[in-house]
Amino acid sequence: MRVLPGFISEEEETALLAELEPVLKRMRYEFDHWDNAIQGYRETERSTWSVGNQAVLGRVRAAAFPEGGRDAELLPSAHVLDLAAAGHIRPHIDAVRFCGGVIAGLCLVSDAVMRLAHETHKHLALDALLQRRCLYIMSGVSRYEFTHAVLGGEDSVWRAQRVPRRRRVAVILRSRPPPQPQP
Ligand code: OGA
Ligand code: MN
């Protein structure tokens, strides 16, 4: 797991949000599915971007999905996840059927804390501070063997300091899953 603080500028954050807000603002936050891993969210997918935003996502691509590597191929659209101030993401591992070996997220609007915990050895855990405008890159062991969660409310603490969780928007790029074996 790598976190690159300040990966985008304030201007780039503003431009990404300008393109996303009109879509997000029309949607309602979902809180009610008790069994969902994610509570208090709205989401969309996006495959076409303004020229400037496309360039920013190109930088994410270059940083996280090295050309020629096995995870060079991305899913065709970015996943935009808007978490309400009262929302959170419970520990989970992204399904291997739908996502390959790299998950890269640009964090917008609010700082947040992501908790990584080993799937079976739960004492192996760490909290990552995801500051607004950072990029995180999850691959290898952190992608396949550790669950990840975004802490909400009172739990949003990093090194004994509260990290106020306001509304947070993540733009997440994922590599394509490897071809599925045919039954
Ligand atoms: C997810 C997820 C993390 C984030 O959507 O599967 O874990 O940064 N999102 O919002
Ligand atoms: Mn996830």
Side-chain angles (χ1 to χ4, degrees):
M1 170 81 170
R2 281 188 286 157
V3 179
L4 310 180
F7 189 82
I8 58 170
S9 68
E10 284 181 38
E11 292 72 23
E12 289 167 336
E13 178 188 36
T14 303
L16 283 166
L17 288 168
E19 191 161 357
L20 296 173
E21 290 287 28
V23 181
L24 294 172
K25 289 236 159 91
R26 289 200 303 261
M27 308 173 77
R28 275 198 208 175
Y29 287 111
E30 297 191 28
F31 277 97
D32 26 7
H33 305 290
W34 61 271
D35 57 340
N36 275 1
I38 312 183
Q39 287 294 317
Y41 70 102
R42 49 193 184 184
E43 65 186 341
T44 185
E45 298 206 336
R46 193 158 190 103
S47 53
T48 57
W49 298 86
S50 71
V51 172
N53 289 340
Q54 184 68 55
V56 169
L57 294 180
R59 269 166 45 214
V60 173
R61 187 178 181 142
F65 305 88
E67 269 188 64
R70 81 159 76 175
D71 286 296
E73 296 277 326
L74 302 199
L75 293 178
S77 39
H79 175 203
V80 179
L81 183 70
D82 178 343
L83 205 56
H88 64 271
I89 305 180
R90 296 204 190 104
H92 69 281
I93 296 176
D94 287 24
V96 294
R97 267 182 76 98
F98 302 116
C99 172
V102 177
I103 301 169
L106 271 179
C107 302
L108 314 178
V109 190
S110 173
D111 296 349
V113 179
M114 181 176 273
R115 176 162 297 164
L116 299 168
H118 193 275
E119 204 186 0
T120 49
H121 307 291
K122 299 214 189 308
H123 62 285
L124 295 178
L126 71 90
D127 289 347
L129 177 63
L130 300 182
Q131 284 172 316
R132 180 176 188 177
R133 296 186 289 277
C134 82
L135 173 70
Y136 68 83
I137 304 171
M138 210 185 288
S139 65
V141 166
S142 64
R143 188 269 181 259
Y144 288 114
E145 291 176 38
F146 281 65
T147 61
H148 54 278
V150 173
L151 307 183
E154 302 286 292
D155 298 327
S156 188
V157 172
W158 192 76
R159 296 193 178 164
Q161 297 267 346
R162 282 295 309 273
V163 176
R165 255 291 321 288
R166 289 160 299 149
R167 171 187 177 223
R168 167 181 183 270
V169 176
V171 179
I172 304 164
L173 303 183
R174 293 182 172 89
S175 55
R176 262 184 208 280
Q180 307 291 314
Q182 298 302 314

